[in-house]
Amino acid sequence: MAHATLSRSVRLFRAFLHEQSDPDHFYGTLAEDSVRQLSGYADLAGATVLDVGGGPGYFAEAFRAAGAYYVGIDPDVGELSARDGEPAAGMLRASGTALPVRTGSVDVCYSSNVLEHVDRPWVMAEELVRVTRPGGTVFLSFTPWLSPWGGHETAPWHYLGGERAARRYTERHGRPPKNVYGRTLFDVRVGPALRWAHRCRSATLVRALPRYHPRWAWPLVHVPGVREVALWNLAMVLRRT
């Protein structure tokens, strides 16, 4: 992964600072980077890509520009319509824990920053594997609960407890956070994710890495405890068997 450099990490974190004020810039930057990253593990030209949790379709243009046939799924009508007031072309409403997709029917199943919003994360992870064809690629990434951004907009107060952080946010801003602990935001950690990947009978773990970090920081994945805090985002690449 030649592009996993420090300058790339700095660029992504700078874009992240504008997630709320300029989502088009942030998600456009992230989508282009994600396609480059995923291209190191799968040939996207002519591939059928299923994006689980695709929201308003920010990733669609980047995947289609790489030659992929893109379909996005999201359970939330508000998320699907967040960009232009209505769902983008190729976006469907459905649950990630019960995908309305035939078994073994997509070349690449992709999910970015969704797992921590699912109350049954490993059910969703199994669904991503199920719909991927033998030899196909699953790319699954999420924000670990104990990472600096684990509480999302309530961070860093989530280190004192998710419910306490949500109450503080509500008191401070006069409204509840978008990501409410225990309802739309859950405690998902690196260790259990890696254990699920290693035990998965239908796929082989190709690589686990800090998604946004430079390559020299990748060994952090193998350090229990430290990885829960140091990995801003964990990405797992699996090959369907």
Side-chain angles (χ1 to χ4, degrees):
M1 301 295 292
H3 76 288
T5 62
L6 179 60
S7 60
R8 171 251 185 185
S9 298
V10 170
R11 183 175 68 254
L12 288 173
F13 280 113
R14 283 178 175 171
F16 174 77
L17 296 175
H18 301 284
E19 179 186 11
Q20 301 295 325
S21 61
D22 190 358
D24 284 352
H25 170 68
F26 169 68
Y27 286 106
T29 299
L30 182 58
E32 292 176 2
D33 182 82
S34 298
V35 167
R36 285 197 300 272
Q37 190 173 50
L38 183 55
S39 294
Y41 302 98
D43 184 3
L44 297 178
T48 299
V49 175
L50 179 67
D51 182 2
V52 179
Y58 285 110
F59 286 66
E61 292 179 6
F63 275 108
R64 288 169 182 157
Y69 175 75
Y70 174 95
V71 178
I73 283 180
D74 200 286
D76 191 320
V77 173
E79 287 295 321
L80 286 169
S81 308
R83 192 177 187 185
D84 298 314
E86 60 183 25
M91 301 300 298
L92 305 173
R93 184 186 181 193
S95 171
T97 58
L99 295 172
V101 179
R102 190 174 68 249
T103 298
S105 60
V106 303
D107 300 304
V108 176
C109 198
Y110 175 87
S111 183
S112 171
N113 295 318
V114 177
L115 204 67
E116 70 267 29
H117 301 292
V118 179
D119 61 349
R120 296 183 295 163
W122 314 124
V123 172
M124 180 179 135
E126 292 286 351
E127 276 290 271
L128 302 186
V129 173
R130 178 187 67 79
V131 302
T132 305
R133 66 166 176 80
T137 302
V138 176
F139 184 98
L140 173 60
S141 80
F142 70 94
T143 304
W145 175 246
L146 292 178
S147 75
W149 189 241
H152 287 48
E153 65 267 44
T154 67
W157 302 101
H158 67 294
Y159 286 121
L160 302 178
E163 294 179 354
R164 182 175 179 179
R167 286 197 303 270
R168 181 185 183 280
Y169 184 95
T170 301
E171 293 169 358
R172 189 178 183 87
H173 297 276
R175 66 180 189 279
K178 175 184 176 181
N179 301 285
V180 180
Y181 180 77
R183 289 171 51 194
T184 58
L185 181 62
F186 300 91
D187 182 343
V188 184
R189 306 195 183 197
V190 176
L194 295 177
R195 286 193 291 274
W196 167 80
H198 285 297
R199 293 171 181 171
C200 183
R201 296 181 178 181
S202 302
T204 300
L205 181 63
V206 176
R207 175 162 288 159
L209 66 152
R211 182 179 178 187
Y212 305 138
H213 289 41
R215 189 178 184 114
W216 49 259
W218 287 7
L220 290 172
V221 170
H222 306 294
V223 185
V226 173
R227 64 193 179 192
E228 301 291 348
V229 179
L231 271 61
W232 194 283
N233 191 283
L234 173 70
M236 298 188 297
V237 182
L238 299 101
R239 191 80 65 213
R240 181 70 155 91
T241 55

